[in-house]
Structure formats: structure tokens, C-alpha cells
Amino acid sequence: MSSNLFPKTIGSTDKNEQMFIDIIAGARPNFVKIAALVHAYREHPEELPVSYRIVHTGQHYDKRMSGDFFEQLGIPEPDVNLEVGSGTQAEQTARIMTRYEALVMESAPAATLVVGDVTSSMACAIVAQKQCIPVAHVEAGIRSGDWTMPEEINRLVTDAITNWYFTTSEEANAELRRTGVAEDRIFFVGNTMIDTLLRNRSRFQRPAILDRLPVDSPYLLLTLHRPSNVDEGDRLREILTEIAGHTGGTPIIFPVHPRTRGKLESNGIELKFPFVVAEPMPYLEFGYLVERAQGVITDSGGITEEATVLGIPCMTLRSSTERPETVTLGTNELIGADPRAIGQPLNRIITGQWKTGSIPPLWDGRTGMRIVSKLQELVLVQGKSRTEVPFFTTNKN
């Protein structure tokens, strides 16, 4: 475990005495989300007496998770890397918990903030509560209803032991109320991922893969990584065949997730035109592709949010989504689990007959500051004492 135990200093010269919050990240999408919090700290240091420490669990080891990645997002490298590495769900959870426990026993934060729905968020939330450290969950309350998704289990467990819930939508607020969370623990703040998107939109970088297409050629953008879509060779082959057969010759740029690449190779699936295959893209290059795509085909929830804000048609190859606002308000549509359902909506994208979406409330680029300001208030007023934090108070109404 590599670490610098002391947090980033905001307005203080004594690191040992300054209160701080642990900000947990376990995978690349987490860092995109926490970037909004880091920038809020940087831009308003005089207003934020409680500092922060970035803890990277190392849940997803990625050679592209380098200094260049953090530089693109404009954030410092993590203070601590728990270096848990790969493994089964249980193995990763155990290593994250034991290593984070050792960290907080040596240097305890005033609160632990977790984001999203990765295993790291669940595991660190459990450790924090057992050490009487209050937990804040960013993107609380989102649900797909699909318990076959590991992420859904992580969401349920994390929200069951969270103190302060920071939400992206009214749908998430309603879900938390339905499960009995008291109103004064729910904070509707917006979407940190959109903060990062809007901050960096003017900095998007043209990727070299576009040189492989005719000049000014329209293209589709495809991402696939969900086990339900890629783990079975026959299903993966059928999905790709249906997509290729309904593009009318439009190129399909396909940055292949490592998990998906392994399944393609093990099942002997060779991708030819209209697929234009690439390695996973750096953040600024991928954003460039989304913003200029004719349409996006994906099974990722986060990309549906970005496509909605950028006004790009998006079809999701799933039967449910934890981000329903991208469907009810945005540019996203759920296609379902049957690959034979791909053709008709894909044709609507190609022919320009897709719906026009709108941007959900508070997805305005100011979410990070809302979260940091409220969390500062909560920590300063209530401290980190279990007796002062509403651990089990529920809404009786």
C-alpha cells in the first residue's frame, strides 16, 4: 500500500490538526466523478475549512491510470493507493476492507465519502461505519431493479448504511423516501459526472482513430462490457451481427473494454468493417467521440448521462437502467435484452428520426460545490461522533 497519510491542505499549515474527509475512488469512472469535488475545493479554499484525502483502492488496475489521466482531469494523484488489484468480488471486498481499516485506524477522517456503485464504495462504507465514521454517498438512491448486476448489490448495501445521501435526480430522492430515509438526510445536488463533462468540453481532443475514417464521415460509437451482453459468446456474436447489419455502412467506432476483448478472443469473434476497433480511450478523446457521434450504442449507465447532456441519440442494450431520467427526459432509450430488437431503433438513429431530449434538473456543472459545501456544514456541525450522527433515524411518515 502506497500512501501519503495527510490530506490536501486547504487554508491550514498544520496537517496533523486539520479535519479532513476521505474521498474514495476505485475505478476510472469514480475519478471522473470526484474531479468535481476536487475542483470545488480548489476554487473556494477560503470557504472550506475541512480538507480532503483521496484514497484510491486500486480495485481496477489500468495501465492508463497514470499521471496523464489525472492531468487530463486536472486533479492530483491519490494520496493513498490501497493497491488491492484484481480478484473475485469477495477477494476484492476483503482486501479493500482490511487495507482501508488499517488506514483509518492510523489516521481517521471526519467522514468518508464514496461515489457510485463499485465494490470499493460498499467496502469502504462498511469499514467507516464500523469505525464510527459517518458516510456520505454521492449518487445515492439510484436503482436498476436488477439484482444480477453486482453494482445493484453495492448500491443497496451502501445506501443501507449511509448517513448523508447526495442524489442526482428526483427519482433517486423518491426511492430513498420509499425505503424510509428521513428527508433531512437527502440532498438533491445534481450530477458530478456532468460537472466534469462541462468543465472539459472545450478541451476535448480529436483521437487518431478518426484518421481511419473518410473525412467528415458520420459514425456510430459503441461500448459493451456488461456480463449479460459479453460473457456468452453466442449472444455477443448475435449483438454485433445485428448492429453491423443495420448501420447502412456507417462506421462503428468500438473502443473495446478489456473484459470484452477477452471474450471476443476466447470465442473467436473477429471484427471487420463497419467496426473500427480501438483501445479504451482517454477521457478527453472519448468525450470528443461522443459529442460528434451520429449516435451511441452502449450498455453503460454513465455514457447515457453524457449523451443526454450533449444531445446525442443513445440506445442502451439493457432492459432496465439505474438512470431513468436519461430516458424520461434525455436522449436515451432502453432497447431490451433481445438482439433482434436492435434494428428498428438503430435505423431511426441513422435516418435522423430520434427523439429530442432535455437536460435533467441541476445537471448544470455546479454539483461539486453543492456537495462540498453541504458536507463541510455537516461535518463541522455534527462532527464524527456516532451519537451526533443520525445513523438509524428513518422517516416515519
Side-chain angles (χ1 to χ4, degrees), residues 331-390:
T331 58
N332 183 32
E333 288 189 13
L334 289 175
I335 304 308
D338 186 351
R340 292 171 297 181
I342 289 172
Q344 191 273 339
L346 187 50
N347 181 67
R348 286 193 285 117
I349 290 179
I350 296 294
T351 58
Q353 300 178 55
W354 203 255
K355 66 179 181 179
T356 300
S358 62
I359 298 176
L362 298 188
W363 291 22
D364 57 6
R366 295 190 289 273
T367 297
M369 193 62 221
R370 294 187 191 105
I371 293 172
V372 170
S373 295
K374 175 54 69 172
L375 192 54
Q376 297 274 317
E377 173 190 326
L378 293 166
V379 168
L380 289 172
V381 171
Q382 302 189 68
K384 61 177 182 177
S385 168
R386 177 178 287 270
T387 61
E388 296 177 359
V389 177

Side-chain angles (χ1 to χ4, degrees), residues 191-208:
N191 193 326
T192 57
M193 182 174 284
I194 302 309
D195 282 26
T196 302
L197 179 75
L198 297 178
R199 172 180 290 275
N200 291 286
R201 188 174 185 179
S202 64
R203 301 176 57 242
F204 287 164
Q205 298 174 2
R206 184 183 187 277

Side-chain angles (χ1 to χ4, degrees), residues 1 24 26 55-60 82-85 89-103 118-125 127:
M1 179 174 73
I24 308 297
V55 179
H56 178 18
T57 66
Q59 174 185 331
H60 288 176
L82 302 182
E83 299 175 347
V84 301
Q89 296 276 334
E91 288 169 340
Q92 282 192 326
T93 301
R95 284 199 292 268
I96 293 166
M97 290 182 68
T98 55
R99 295 183 187 187
Y100 186 55
E101 181 184 57
L103 176 66
V118 298
T119 298
S120 297
S121 299
M122 175 190 69
C124 290
V127 169

Side-chain angles (χ1 to χ4, degrees), residues 217-228:
S217 170
Y219 62 87
L220 299 166
L221 181 61
L222 170 66
T223 76
L224 286 175
H225 75 283
R226 297 285 178 189
S228 58

Side-chain angles (χ1 to χ4, degrees), residues 16 91 152 159 210 216 239 264 341:
N16 289 301
E91 288 169 340
E152 185 76 351
D159 278 346
L210 290 176
D216 297 327
I239 288 172
L264 290 170

